[in-house]
Amino acid sequence: NEDDADAPGDEEAAPAGVKKQQPGFRRCISVPETLWDVRSVMKVRTLDESVHSTYGSEPGNKGGITFKNVGIREYARTVGDNPSCSSGPPVSISWEYNALEEISLEEYEQTRPPRRSHFEMVLPRKIRHNMLRREWDIQNKFIAESVRNNVRIKNQRKATVNNLGKATKAEEMIESATRKVKRMLTFKPPVSVQVKQLEAKVNEAQRRRSQMALEKIMASEYGPAIEVGGDTSASSI
């Protein structure tokens, strides 16, 4: 309530150097009661200071972002649908997972195994098949169906790449034939004939405007035209 805010008993003491608001002055709700000191949010002034700044790394700084605990989930494996798999069944994670107990970030970094390279993370076909069949009890029919789907998608992609140029020419021929059939059914002339007809109409409209402008000039100089025996002649003055 603005009336309650302007009451003398509810006024708060303004800081030093800041003028109090005049009583009875009604302000917008979105404008603050007093004009406080305006300070910039920039921590540095130039680009060079930003590059060489150590802001956030000082001890005791509360403005940075820190990580405390690490949560790990172990997901089950199932047959995937990635067509980029070179051969055999692709492997993907399932919806089921087992959440392990959270540990601190420092403990995780001290006890985790060394990171694997890109080649160490590649699973050969035999390992993927044995993992799905023995460890996760995936039936052979699902594995075979996944392999057939991947082969079919690969063949479709190859056909698309090989027929890309042929398909473009065939589409152009089909579009041209479609336009011709539409013109025959709707009795429309070709586009070139339509353009010529429009140009003729434009020229005729320009000729008429020029004739009307000339008649106005003649009428203003020699008087209105009088029809005599079907002919138009300027009236004598």
Side-chain angles (χ1 to χ4, degrees), residues 80-234:
D81 55 356
N82 184 10
S84 300
C85 183
S86 58
S87 62
V91 177
S92 178
I93 61 175
S94 178
W95 291 101
E96 294 79 13
Y97 65 88
N98 182 24
L100 303 181
E101 185 179 358
E102 292 187 358
I103 59 176
S104 63
L105 180 61
E106 292 77 10
E107 183 181 356
Y108 170 77
E109 291 293 338
Q110 293 175 0
T111 58
R112 68 173 178 82
R115 300 184 184 278
R116 293 179 292 176
S117 63
H118 175 72
F119 296 99
E120 291 176 345
M121 299 180 67
V122 176
L123 296 176
R125 173 180 180 178
K126 186 176 181 180
I127 294 179
R128 281 184 274 115
H129 186 276
N130 293 336
M131 179 189 299
L132 295 172
R133 188 68 187 93
R134 298 177 182 178
E135 296 184 16
W136 304 104
D137 195 20
I138 304 298
Q139 298 180 10
N140 286 327
K141 64 177 182 179
F142 296 117
I143 296 177
E145 182 180 358
S146 175
V147 173
R148 286 194 295 268
N149 291 335
N150 286 348
V151 172
R152 182 172 62 256
I153 294 175
K154 288 181 181 179
N155 294 333
Q156 291 175 354
R157 291 184 175 183
K158 291 180 181 179
T160 301
V161 173
N162 295 332
N163 299 329
L164 187 59
K166 300 178 182 178
T168 303
K169 295 181 179 179
E171 289 176 357
E172 292 178 356
M173 295 176 62
I174 293 173
E175 290 179 358
S176 177
T178 303
R179 289 194 296 267
K180 292 180 180 179
V181 171
K182 287 183 178 180
R183 285 198 299 266
M184 293 175 61
L185 295 177
T186 57
F187 301 101
K188 288 185 178 180
V191 178
S192 58
V193 177
Q194 295 181 13
V195 171
K196 291 181 180 180
Q197 293 177 355
L198 291 175
E199 290 178 352
K201 291 181 179 179
V202 171
N203 295 332
E204 180 66 19
Q206 291 179 354
R207 188 186 65 81
R208 291 181 179 179
R209 283 197 295 269
S210 300
Q211 185 177 0
M212 293 176 62
L214 180 60
E215 291 178 355
K216 289 182 179 180
I217 294 175
M218 295 293 292
S220 61
E221 292 182 356
Y222 302 103
I226 302 176
E227 294 184 0
V228 179
D231 298 332
T232 57
S233 59

